[in-house]
Amino acid sequence: MLEKLKNMQECYWLNENLTSNLEYELNAKGIQAKDIEDARARLNRFAPLLKVLFPATLKTNGIIESPLECINTYKKELEKLENVEIKGDVFIKLDSHLPISGSIKARGGIYEVLKHTESLLLEHKLLSLQDDYTKIIHLKDFLSQYKIAVGSTGNLGLSIGIMSAKLGFKVSVHMSNDAKEWKKQMLREHNCEVITYQSDYGKAVEEGRKAAQNDKSCYFIDDENSKNLFLGYSVAAKRLKGQLESLDITINENRPLYVYLPCGVGGGPGGVAYGLKTVFGQNVKCFFAEPTHSPCMLLGLMTKKHSEISVNDIGLDNKTAADGLAVGRASKLVGKVLEHIIDGCFSVSDENMYKFLTLLHKTENINLEPSALAGVKGLIFNKELKNTHPNALHLIWATGGNMVPKNEMEKFIKEGEKYLN
Ligand SMILES: *Cc1c(COP(=O)(O)O)cnc(C)c1O
């Protein structure tokens, strides 16, 4: 497997160390299943404020949530293209269309900013939990004394930057070399400070962390270790259950759920997977998808070295078109929390992400960024899974794309054309 990873071949790894006591394992690593409820309640307290600050959230009553759609037309075309049979239905979770920042980061990133805001205001007796949170609009001057910093490949910076600036905070975003120019531009338009590095994500985080250490008024959002980010993501699970129920779908042993999550540092997919396991138990299987150039989570789990090993250590360059996934070293937190919970990981080539992107555009008229297509490969790899249920519900977690400028999207689609004979 290590040889395959080194040669950038697509790999499929199944976890042989799954727990036999899921409930115990979910609560054994410093995060408790009940913490998700606390995060959910906090997001509900902020919903009235979000409605005022971001009219795009009016349609969902201030809740940042994305649509769920069935894409069986795509499934049929993919079966033809790849010459495979995919058993069961294929759905897509369109986090690409989440309000405010158009990616999965609108869950974790925004949640952590809100949690920090609430803590500050409670501490200074400017807010109580029973208040109408729309009053926070009038506390901008107070919040402008404080700063928020983050390191990012692009999307986390975008979500944290937009939210923090809107509340009044000063913001510094430390961007890695893969960050797209339009993302930096958008942040500058929101009056965020953008600091760019010629190196990768790990360096951007390190520099952000350092800058914040020397400034007491600065709060650093640490994507490599943050429980808050993780919990913000995890809230998705219970809401997904509600969405499935509204379609008269109940997940059980006769209708198991298979979820394919694009993975960078691990917080986003990790938080969602953790949430899904608390809601659906053994009836959900979660798989992480990574680029062949940056399979940091697969490497960390497989070797049990987690954040102690980077893809550079096995000679990989961490350069991929999937900029949201260009992470060379996995989160310290996530690998440990999920080591006996996550069902598997696989890696995907950039060419395949582009190919899946263009096929989705053509068959369903859904436009995503390359990272968001990584999970599609799971539908094909899963023929190797021994007991794939004929009645399974497969869910592609589409993690970003809605804010990509039109000309960039056209380039993506054109690139994918090359691989669709
Ligand atoms: C950040 C991101 C991911 C993965 O989230 P991590 O927390 O970095 O693992 C997946 N897709 C997109 C589009 C992203 O921006």
Side-chain angles (χ1 to χ4, degrees), residues 103-105 155 223 233 262-269 324-325 369 371-372 399-400:
S103 82
I104 189 170
K105 306 297 194 305
N155 286 338
D223 200 14
Y233 292 117
C263 178
V265 71
L325 312 181
E369 59 187 273
S371 300
T399 44

Side-chain angles (χ1 to χ4, degrees), residues 122-138:
L122 289 172
E123 184 190 327
H124 288 84
K125 309 244 181 311
L126 293 166
L127 182 75
S128 76
L129 293 180
Q130 293 72 38
D131 282 349
D132 171 356
Y133 276 30
T134 55
K135 76 185 267 191
I136 296 172
I137 300 164
H138 307 293

Side-chain angles (χ1 to χ4, degrees), residues 192-248:
C192 301
E193 180 190 22
V194 178
I195 303 147
T196 55
Y197 299 93
Q198 284 317 309
S199 28
D200 76 357
Y201 163 86
K203 175 80 175 165
V205 173
E206 191 187 316
E207 290 298 324
R209 195 183 285 126
K210 259 195 234 159
Q213 265 164 6
N214 301 322
D215 181 352
K216 275 214 181 84
S217 69
C218 185
Y219 180 76
F220 178 63
I221 296 186
D222 191 343
D223 200 14
E224 289 179 327
N225 299 294
S226 170
K227 268 189 210 179
N228 290 323
L229 281 174
F230 189 89
L231 289 169
Y233 292 117
S234 70
V235 173
K238 199 166 167 189
R239 296 193 188 147
L240 175 70
K241 182 168 188 260
Q243 284 180 314
L244 288 168
E245 279 167 3
S246 76
L247 300 173
D248 252 338

Side-chain angles (χ1 to χ4, degrees), residues 354 357 406-416:
Y354 277 124
L357 181 152
K406 200 161 171 273
N407 62 323
E408 299 262 334
M409 189 55 75
E410 279 164 5
K411 277 189 232 161
F412 291 157
I413 293 166
K414 224 170 140 192
E415 182 64 25

